[in-house]
Amino acid sequence: MTPVGRAAPAARLSRRALLRAAAAASAATVAGCATTPPAVQVAVVWSGGELARFREVVGNYGADVQVISAGNDIDAFLRARQLAGTSPDVAILPRSGLVVEYARRGWLRELTPATSYALPPGMADLLSADGRRYGVWVKAAHKSLFWYFPSMLPAPPRTWDQLVTLTRRLGARALSGDGPAPLAIGAADGWVLTDWFENVLADVAPPGYYEALARGEADWRSPSVHTALDRLAELWGVDGAFPGGGRRALLTQYEESVIQVVHHRRATMLFEADFVDDVSRRFRRGPEQPETFRFPGARVADRPLIVGGDAAVAFAGSARGAELVRWLSGGSAFQPWLRAGGYLSPNVSVPLDDYRDPVRRRLAAELRTAEAVRFDLSDRLPGPFTGSDGVGMWRIMQDFFADVVDGVPAGSATRRAVGQLAAAARSAGGGR
Amino acid sequence: MSRVLGELAVLDDVGPPRRGRAYPAAGATSALLLPALLLLGGLVAWPVLRTLHASVTTDGRWVGAEHFRTALSAPGTGAVVGRTLLWALLVPAVVTVLGYLLAAASRRSQEGGLVRLILVVPTALPLVVTGVTFRLMYDPDPERGLATLVAATLTGRSAADAPQLLGPRLVTVALMSAFVWAWVGLAVLVFRAALDAVPPSLADAVRAYGGNRRDVLWDAQWRPLLLRTVAVVFTLAALGTARTFDLILVMAPGSVRDEASVLALRVWQTSNGATTGEGAALGVVWLVAVAAGMLVAALFVRQAWPPPRDPVPVAPEPVTPAPRRTTRLLVAGAAVAWLVPLGVLLATSLHGAVDAAARGWWWSPPGLDSYRDLLTGTELWRTLGFTLVLATVVTAVVLGVALLAAYPLAWLSGPPAQATGLLLMAASIVPVQVIAGPVNEVLGVVLSSGTARGLALVHVALGVPFAVLVLRNAFADLPAEQVRAARVGGRHWWGTLRLLARHNRPAVVAVAVLEFVQVWNDLVVGLLFSGPGALPLGLFLAGQTRGFAANSGALAAGSVIASILPVLLVVLARRQLVAGLVAGGVR
């Protein structure tokens, strides 16, 4: 992707300043004698229930806050607003890669978080560019979870090999028609597959390699990436692994995969993040609650934990935005959402007792004790490589999945995927 | 039914001038062109130039054909271009043939009127709703997808091996079937208007000279009229395939996007609304292809057999022969085939979220849960209200600007009339994805990027060229003596304009209804230009398709609610629509 903002920065800045001044002038004229300052504008990706919770959160802030839901395409939205010189004060971004990109273009304001802002080690330095901090984490997602019903699976697997063995056994049973398939997977959504890949990669890669890949400093054509993909091929290639077969899994979206487990019970296990319980609550049948186990890996001692998250940034020139972000980074700002449930705080200074919902409380404890916290790799990749429907890493993982379930030998499927990953990294300007 | 319907009138206008447009000129009235010129210049012409510029530069630096080379050599581009061409050739052919057959068949049978009504309903639906409907029907799970269940039963295969219509191999076929379903009604309307306009005396004359059935078809229908009509319908449908974007976004699951992709989607994916580099290059390729198609079609229509100058008012058919069995079967089959998807949508909407997501609509008794959830929430009401206001305001502004501009343009005759016709036609077919970035820049200058105001401005700019064309053609059709008499009678230009508008009510109604329905049904403009607090209906529905199965109850109910108004408008106004648009076009 070509950086749009690089052309003639001085000219553009002065034009933006002019526009801002014009906007301020017209706003002042409209406001007339009224002395109340305009509300602080926050653009978020959330909608529905999450948006309502966030509105409750900022309702406790000292000044007026206007929350605007920009939807999933917040990047395009913010680019357009920046181009037009009408950026909001604050934005909450779903990808750390965006924070760094915006900061490098000079769109953001440097931030100082509240004193009670404390993070797990893997997340701390992701929101900085050139040694300055431009964002704070406000929401976390635990992405190393399997969900299951204890009545269907008495002994969850603890290692990768156990998972493969179990999948083979259940898969054979499902093929003969007397039992559910072992795994549900929403392969129509590329991010589900990249989450799988990240968990396996973090598990098999030598120390530092995962982070180096994320920073664009490592080569994708490495033994670690090969091993990770081989492992996935080993599991996904099991006959009868998915309800309705692999081709059907490629047309199954994430929510539907949850429904396959919690409603139909057509599958025994489901891998995805803590937010599975939002869907589960709507579609569960019977009183039994789904339980979770950690993504099984080769290393039992220091299992890496993959997290995702949303970061708050303040746009350049907005002091009030920076103040709001600082307030949001404090441990107590998100109390209403904590109490309502469905929220996992990245801030480890938030007392565990504040969590009303037991799943989140346990996950918050895991976040504190995990030896190796790794942040979602695909969210950190540059440009289109980061993926969306039919684009970048999402697409590559889906091609790989299709190859594996179509019976292409694991070796050639892996080689093809590695080649595509390396090429995508090169053209996106990261990797070597 | 969309903006392109206007090209009916438009395409014809490039042909030989029908009559002298000897209106008295008045210098000052050219100022009436100003609003339309500003809108088209700022939001269409300038952005097109900017896109051309962006396709050969990087950050203002000349790079020659580099972006074109990169974009065209990117993996999959060949397939995307090929698929776009397939869409532009195969789909219009099917639409044209089906449209003619159904128009001819439904003309003879007693139930014809009802069947045509059924066929017209899909043309009024937003393409997002069409996408939702067909995705419900083609759901890969045989417990939910009717088509998959039928396919599995017919092929005798298990659910897992049944052909998947949304799978990578068949997804384009699935998309095309949805498009044909939505567009055949339009073709039927146009063909029917054409067939009705054929003077029956012509057929009698051919018969009197001993012509057989084929001679009647050839000499009394094809040569005087149908050739032109086929060209017009084919071109309309071909240009309409540019709108497959909405369908692909709604119908194709993420994993088969590439297998379904066409240029529209590729341009959007590569440039992400910014229109730089490769995105701009692909956009230029697309633009050139569309413009070339338009020119070829215009030439074709121009060289076709000229229409009869003074059509006789349609006399009732003297003898109605009893319809043959094949005809009746065709008509009945079409009615059923066109009703099934509507039935699926309606039936799904009558199930709550859990029932609709977990099992098909035929498994559980209907209820109103999905409607209740939607109607008791605030989001649907807000988006309905916003869309209603947006569509009304845009329609009013477009009508105002277009009436003013059509007035001076209606005096032109000869080459200037043809040139403005071509320019307006070109402006009305510029795909908005191609100019999204520059349009946002322009909007930024007027401080309305990412706001409801900006969204409305873009809609107005995109709607004006078509509206001007239709109104100009309609005005020019009014006998010159009447206008002259009005002016000689001492009327001011304003009075003349009012007279013209009054005498061309069908055209004005047609423009208003089409513009309203177009804005109401829009997805792509909302996707590219809407901002916070400005959530148009199409975007609201498309947003929920990210979790399609889980939201299918709400999606179906929302789709039904979203379709009521456009269907009502188009069905009620269909006579004026055809009269207004076809006046001078197909006749």
Side-chain angles (χ1 to χ4, degrees), chain A residues 258-318:
Chain A
V258 181
I259 294 173
Q260 286 178 341
V261 174
V262 301
H263 187 91
H264 293 299
R265 305 211 174 186
R266 276 188 210 152
T268 313
M269 297 175 283
L270 169 78
F271 157 74
E272 247 315 321
D274 59 293
F275 43 75
V276 164
D277 68 348
D278 295 339
V279 185
S280 157
R281 227 175 292 139
R282 285 169 59 203
F283 291 99
R284 205 176 60 223
R285 278 196 300 185
E288 191 183 10
Q289 300 270 358
E291 293 283 325
T292 61
F293 62 88
R294 272 285 284 280
F295 195 96
R299 289 183 279 176
V300 184
D302 66 330
R303 289 178 299 178
L305 173 62
I306 305 291
V307 295
D310 298 301
V313 296
F315 279 84
S318 172

Side-chain angles (χ1 to χ4, degrees), chain A residues 164 167-169 171-172 182 232-242 404:
Chain A
V164 174
T167 305
R168 288 214 173 101
R169 187 159 54 78
L232 288 175
E234 181 189 18
L235 186 74
W236 290 345
V238 171
D239 273 345
F242 310 109
V404 168

Side-chain angles (χ1 to χ4, degrees), chain B residues 19 44 153 180 229 272 287 292 340:
Chain B
R19 51 188 65 89
V44 178
T153 319
V180 168
T229 314
N272 229 336
L287 207 56
V340 168

Side-chain angles (χ1 to χ4, degrees), chain B residues 61-415:
Chain B
R61 195 164 36 77
W62 174 264
V63 294
E66 191 192 310
H67 292 314
F68 287 91
R69 267 197 301 275
T70 332
L72 292 177
S73 65
T77 304
V80 166
V81 172
R83 211 172 290 118
T84 313
L85 280 178
L86 186 71
W87 267 98
L89 296 176
L90 180 64
V91 173
V94 173
V95 166
T96 312
V97 170
L98 264 181
Y100 172 72
L101 286 179
L102 290 173
S106 71
R107 214 164 151 241
R108 294 246 195 91
S109 70
Q110 301 95 336
E111 317 81 20
L114 183 66
V115 174
R116 277 196 303 276
L117 190 68
I118 293 172
L119 294 179
V120 168
V121 169
T123 62
L125 297 183
L127 264 186
V128 178
V129 170
T130 306
V132 168
T133 307
F134 275 77
R135 188 158 173 187
L136 287 171
M137 210 164 65
Y138 293 159
D139 193 298
D141 192 332
E143 273 199 31
R144 285 192 309 255
L146 185 65
T148 312
L149 180 70
V150 171
T153 319
L154 285 183
T155 54
R157 292 195 231 172
S158 73
D161 301 325
Q164 288 165 340
L165 276 156
L166 295 181
R169 267 187 289 273
L170 293 178
V171 66
T172 300
V173 177
L175 290 163
M176 285 178 172
S177 67
F179 191 86
V180 168
W181 181 77
W183 273 68
V184 161
L186 175 62
V188 169
L189 279 187
V190 176
F191 274 117
R192 184 176 136 88
L195 288 173
D196 282 352
V198 175
S201 51
L202 212 52
D204 292 343
V206 175
R207 278 196 207 98
Y209 279 96
N212 61 12
R213 217 185 157 76
R214 230 181 59 211
D215 295 330
V216 170
L217 181 69
W218 186 254
D219 287 330
Q221 294 189 343
W222 176 260
R223 293 216 338 212
L225 200 74
L226 282 185
L227 180 57
R228 293 165 55 84
T229 314
V230 163
V232 168
V233 170
F234 190 94
T235 315
L236 272 180
L239 293 174
T241 56
R243 306 171 68 82
T244 43
F245 180 83
D246 300 16
L247 270 187
I248 296 175
L249 227 51
V250 172
M251 265 178 82
S255 56
V256 294
R257 279 275 162 88
D258 272 12
E259 281 80 2
S261 184
V262 293
L263 266 177
L265 193 73
R266 188 51 86 90
V267 167
W268 183 68
Q269 280 177 337
T270 18
S271 67
N272 229 336
T275 321
T276 48
E278 291 162 46
L282 278 178
V284 169
V285 171
W286 186 16
L287 207 56
V288 169
V290 171
M294 186 200 79
L295 280 178
V296 169
L299 281 176
F300 192 73
V301 173
R302 184 195 169 102
Q303 284 168 359
W305 190 269
R309 281 294 160 94
D310 287 306
V312 207
V314 186
E317 293 233 342
V319 201
T320 313
R324 289 188 300 171
R325 184 186 281 173
T326 44
T327 313
R328 293 179 68 170
L329 273 180
L330 182 69
V331 172
V336 173
W338 260 255
L339 274 178
V340 168
L342 290 176
V344 168
L345 180 69
L346 208 61
T348 309
S349 75
L350 288 173
H351 288 84
V354 177
D355 278 345
R359 325 195 100 204
W361 46 269
W362 58 88
W363 288 97
S364 46
L368 290 171
D369 285 0
S370 284
Y371 286 100
R372 196 169 45 236
D373 291 351
L374 265 182
L375 295 176
T376 49
T378 55
E379 220 173 346
L380 178 79
W381 290 113
R382 204 176 306 141
T383 179
L384 275 179
F386 173 74
T387 313
L388 187 66
V389 172
L390 180 74
T392 313
V393 170
V394 168
T395 307
V397 176
V398 165
L399 214 51
V401 172
L403 276 172
L404 292 185
Y407 178 67
L409 287 182
W411 308 332
L412 298 178
S413 63

